[in-house]
Amino acid sequence: MKRMKYGVLAVALASMLSFTSCLDGGENSTTMTYYEIVKKDALTGTYTSQMGYKVAPLNPADLANLPSASDYIQLHYTYDYAQDMTDGEIDATVYGYSLIRDGMWRPQAPAEGDANAPVSDVVLDSSNKPYDFFYKLDDLFLPIELFVRKEVDTNDVQEREAEMATHEFTLYYNADEDFTENGMTLYLRHKMLNVEDDDEFTQLSGGWWHFNIIDAMARYQEKYSKRPDKIIISFERNTKDVSYADNLVSEGKEELDYKKIVEFNEALSGSKGISKLLRGKR
């Protein structure tokens, strides 16, 4: 299975709404497209960017009644950067979204029995902007390619999310063995739930999982009095199926430049106004 680039996967995972005509308006237009992970505010109906501004959808009905398994969602939207943003809020038209599920963490090394299936890939690309995989400093998001049941209609949001609810992901870490002065290694493990004998996991799909790693960060800072420069995600990879056949399974490793995440957040804390932040085009 050919490895997807992150940007391609981000679009592939997005559920597109019924209209796509309101994208960039041309060379002289002030309309821009953007995608980012935001935090949902159920009371106001807005979504808070880690950059500090709020995204107010002009088409809120299109986002109503979505399945919810996390406080976060990735939005694909267009906005006019010439609008008045002094109140810290932007009006935007959402044309797509990716739902996010919450994963778990364990402060121990993974053991036999902690997983029952490898994954096809974890698609991280450090050439992307750092907030593609983080919200502030302690909330990590992993786009994961995995095999799902062959009969699942992945274009149906409800059916797709029902399937994703049967895939459980956990990050493990052993601070004594896997933390070094340069960085930390986190081990991703996958469990398929409610598996029947006749289930066939032959359809390649993917999804976003969120992990709050504040505990791992606290342990790291306790040990080294600083944050890590890099984070390595180790996972069990099989690009053919969900078996543990010796000739098919290998250790996959993806590295995130966490130092850039820290620098990015430091830059945000000193930023004045959001207009300049939003001029970068995706």
Side-chain angles (χ1 to χ4, degrees):
M1 185 66 62
K2 187 176 179 181
R3 173 183 167 86
M4 280 191 182
K5 289 291 186 181
Y6 166 73
V8 175
L9 182 65
V11 174
L13 294 183
S15 297
M16 296 302 172
L17 300 175
S18 58
F19 55 89
T20 55
S21 60
C22 53
L23 302 182
D24 286 6
E27 194 172 317
N28 298 316
S29 173
T30 57
T31 299
M32 306 288 280
T33 64
Y34 215 63
Y35 62 82
E36 64 175 327
I37 290 172
V38 291
K39 193 168 186 177
K40 296 181 286 187
D41 187 334
L43 292 178
T44 65
T46 60
Y47 300 83
T48 303
S49 167
Q50 66 171 315
M51 297 184 196
Y53 57 83
K54 291 182 180 294
V55 179
L58 295 170
N59 53 319
D62 291 311
L63 298 172
N65 303 317
L66 290 179
S68 179
S70 171
D71 290 335
Y72 298 90
I73 187 171
Q74 187 188 64
L75 293 184
H76 296 238
Y77 61 87
T78 64
Y79 64 96
D80 183 351
Y81 68 74
Q83 67 181 280
D84 183 5
M85 305 178 190
T86 55
D87 61 353
E89 187 169 298
I90 63 169
D91 294 326
T93 300
V94 178
Y95 66 89
Y97 59 88
S98 294
L99 297 174
I100 296 173
R101 303 195 66 84
D102 283 334
M104 300 180 292
W105 59 269
R106 295 284 185 270
Q108 62 195 48
E112 188 175 350
D114 288 335
N116 62 8
V119 299
S120 178
D121 215 349
V122 176
V123 187
L124 303 182
D125 184 349
S126 292
S127 65
N128 279 276
K129 296 179 180 179
Y131 46 82
D132 284 334
F133 308 111
F134 267 87
Y135 189 97
K136 299 190 182 297
L137 292 167
D138 298 315
D139 289 286
L140 169 66
F141 299 86
L142 297 179
I144 302 171
E145 287 182 357
L146 68 157
F147 287 96
V148 300
R149 293 169 175 84
K150 69 175 184 179
E151 67 272 13
V152 173
D153 181 359
T154 56
N155 293 315
D156 182 287
V157 174
Q158 301 292 338
E159 193 171 332
R160 172 190 171 89
E161 285 307 298
E163 169 68 17
M164 291 304 171
T166 68
H167 295 266
E168 183 178 275
F169 285 95
T170 304
L171 279 180
Y172 292 82
Y173 67 90
N174 184 331
D176 293 329
E177 296 182 8
D178 300 311
F179 289 5
T180 69
E181 193 166 354
N182 291 327
M184 64 167 65
T185 298
L186 305 175
Y187 296 89
L188 180 72
R189 292 298 182 262
H190 172 214
K191 263 192 175 181
M192 300 185 302
L193 309 177
N194 307 321
V195 178
E196 303 291 340
D197 291 340
D198 58 350
D199 283 340
E200 295 182 48
F201 293 86
T202 56
Q203 182 180 186
L204 186 62
S205 186
W208 282 94
W209 271 264
H210 160 243
F211 302 88
N212 183 281
I213 58 172
I214 190 170
D215 182 76
M217 282 295 169
R219 293 287 302 277
Y220 189 92
Q221 289 174 293
E222 180 182 293
K223 192 171 184 178
Y224 294 107
S225 301
K226 70 179 187 72
R227 287 185 178 266
D229 292 336
K230 62 182 179 180
I231 296 176
I232 295 172
I233 306 297
S234 172
F235 60 97
E236 298 171 318
R237 174 189 280 147
N238 182 343
T239 61
K240 300 295 184 183
D241 55 40
V242 295
S243 75
Y244 278 104
D246 290 341
N247 62 327
L248 295 178
V249 178
S250 62
E251 181 185 19
K253 283 190 175 182
E254 289 293 316
E255 183 176 311
L256 279 170
D257 189 344
Y258 188 75
K259 191 174 181 179
K260 286 185 178 179
I261 307 292
V262 174
E263 292 171 350
F264 173 73
N265 278 272
E266 288 174 347
L268 280 183
S269 65
S271 177
K272 296 179 180 179
I274 66 173
S275 178
K276 189 178 294 186
L277 294 173
L278 285 167
R279 290 178 183 269
K281 179 180 172 183
R282 291 274 185 170

